[in-house]
Amino acid sequence: MTEASDAAQADRTLKARHRAMWALGDYQSVASHVIPDLGAVLVKECGVQRGDRVLDIAAGSGNAAIPAALAGADVIASDLTPELLEIGRHLAAVRDARLEWREADAEHLPFADGEFDVVMSCVGIMFAPHHLAAAEEMLRVCRSGGTVGLINWTPQGFVGQLFATMKPYAPAPPPGVQPPPLWGDEEHVHELLGDAVTDVEARRRTVRVDRFTGPTDFREFFKACYGPTVAVYRAVGDDPDLVAELDAALDGLAAEHTVDGVMEWEYLLLTAHRRG
């Protein structure tokens, strides 16, 4: 009992850290100004239709959930961070989109088996620390024959490399926590889903990002708005030499991935059907 209690407490502590990290900065600015159309891409690829029961896991402020609701689906947007859900409620009201917002852990979803026709996540579930647990929950709540749809940043693409660049400056994760960009590796996702799905289609695509005037503009925006980057800078904030090193590393990464003022961020788009 003690070992189980300790594990449960460690998980609660870890999730509290994740919740706090995503409340840092201004993620809505990233979703709205940097990747505004990515959620709609996922909704289209999942074939969301009027009347579908849809769950968006790690929905944030609704980048995919709101387009699904506007398509006529019955949508629940779930996320670990209530601050993001509150922003999503406001954005949905502005766009006259009606959907439900639920605080929920991707690894312990409060929904029934087979409750949804479509279960999707747009650069969200990848940040759940235990990949297999999150994948099993995603599959559990999808009905037989239903659709699973994912967009995740690839390890080789810009955002995957962003996390690799920040890693030396971040506190070491607890044992068993897996890197988010692995969800953008096709082989890894196939292993997670196993034989529970069929009709798997996986495609690498890029999203065009032309929001930034240059590497410094990118770096300053992410330092202010993107929770994981804000958290890393806070971790080294007392050491000006490390801050300068991280600044230079992010500037170099952005410069390497920018051509004529445009960045192309690679992601893996995967859709499948839940096997009956």
Side-chain angles (χ1 to χ4, degrees):
M1 287 296 292
T2 301
E3 184 175 341
S5 298
D6 289 347
Q9 181 57 48
D11 187 65
R12 285 192 292 270
T13 300
L14 176 60
K15 298 299 171 57
R17 284 174 49 192
H18 276 238
R19 185 181 294 110
M21 180 184 70
W22 287 106
L24 295 172
D26 181 10
Y27 182 73
Q28 174 49 31
S29 289
V30 179
S32 294
H33 301 304
V34 182
I35 52 169
D37 300 322
L38 206 56
V41 169
L42 181 59
V43 170
K44 179 180 178 181
E45 293 295 332
C46 287
V48 173
Q49 300 179 29
R50 181 172 300 279
D52 281 347
R53 179 80 165 153
V54 176
L55 174 65
D56 186 5
I57 298 175
S61 52
N63 203 23
I66 291 174
L70 291 173
D74 180 10
V75 180
I76 295 180
S78 67
D79 198 274
L80 189 65
T81 304
E83 291 87 345
L84 295 180
L85 296 175
E86 189 58 37
I87 294 170
R89 289 187 182 96
H90 172 72
L91 295 174
V94 169
R95 299 181 64 180
D96 198 26
R98 299 188 178 186
L99 63 157
E100 182 180 349
W101 302 86
R102 292 277 299 275
E103 184 176 344
D105 180 349
E107 298 176 10
H108 304 282
L109 294 171
F111 307 112
D113 295 357
E115 186 171 342
F116 299 95
D117 302 302
V118 178
V119 181
M120 62 183 185
S121 184
C122 182
V123 295
I125 198 173
M126 64 184 292
F127 294 102
H130 307 108
H131 294 185
L132 184 59
E136 288 177 342
E137 280 293 270
M138 176 180 65
L139 293 168
R140 179 184 65 78
V141 300
C142 186
R143 68 166 175 82
S144 297
T147 299
V148 172
L150 299 165
I151 283 180
N152 293 309
W153 304 119
T154 67
Q156 301 82 7
F158 177 76
V159 179
Q161 290 303 299
L162 171 66
F163 278 91
T165 300
M166 295 191 299
K167 182 178 179 179
Y169 303 91
V177 172
Q178 296 173 282
L182 276 179
W183 273 93
D185 179 88
E186 184 176 346
E187 182 176 344
H188 181 70
V189 181
H190 277 297
E191 290 177 357
L192 293 176
L193 302 182
D195 60 3
V197 295
T198 186
D199 304 322
V200 178
E201 293 188 23
R203 292 138 285 174
R204 288 182 179 233
R205 294 185 179 178
T206 61
V207 58
R208 176 187 173 97
V209 176
D210 56 8
R211 156 72 172 73
F212 306 110
T213 59
T216 301
D217 187 29
F218 159 78
R219 183 235 305 161
E220 290 302 315
F221 181 87
F222 264 57
K223 282 175 71 170
C225 297
Y226 192 56
T229 306
V230 177
V232 171
Y233 271 97
R234 287 191 176 187
V236 300
D238 293 334
D239 189 327
D241 291 335
L242 287 179
V243 171
E245 281 184 20
L246 183 53
D247 281 349
L250 294 188
D251 285 355
L253 178 69
E256 180 184 344
H257 285 263
T258 302
V259 178
D260 296 329
V262 176
M263 308 171 84
E264 297 285 347
W265 295 4
E266 185 181 66
Y267 62 88
L268 180 71
L269 168 65
L270 185 143
T271 57
H273 290 120
R274 180 73 162 92
R275 193 183 296 275

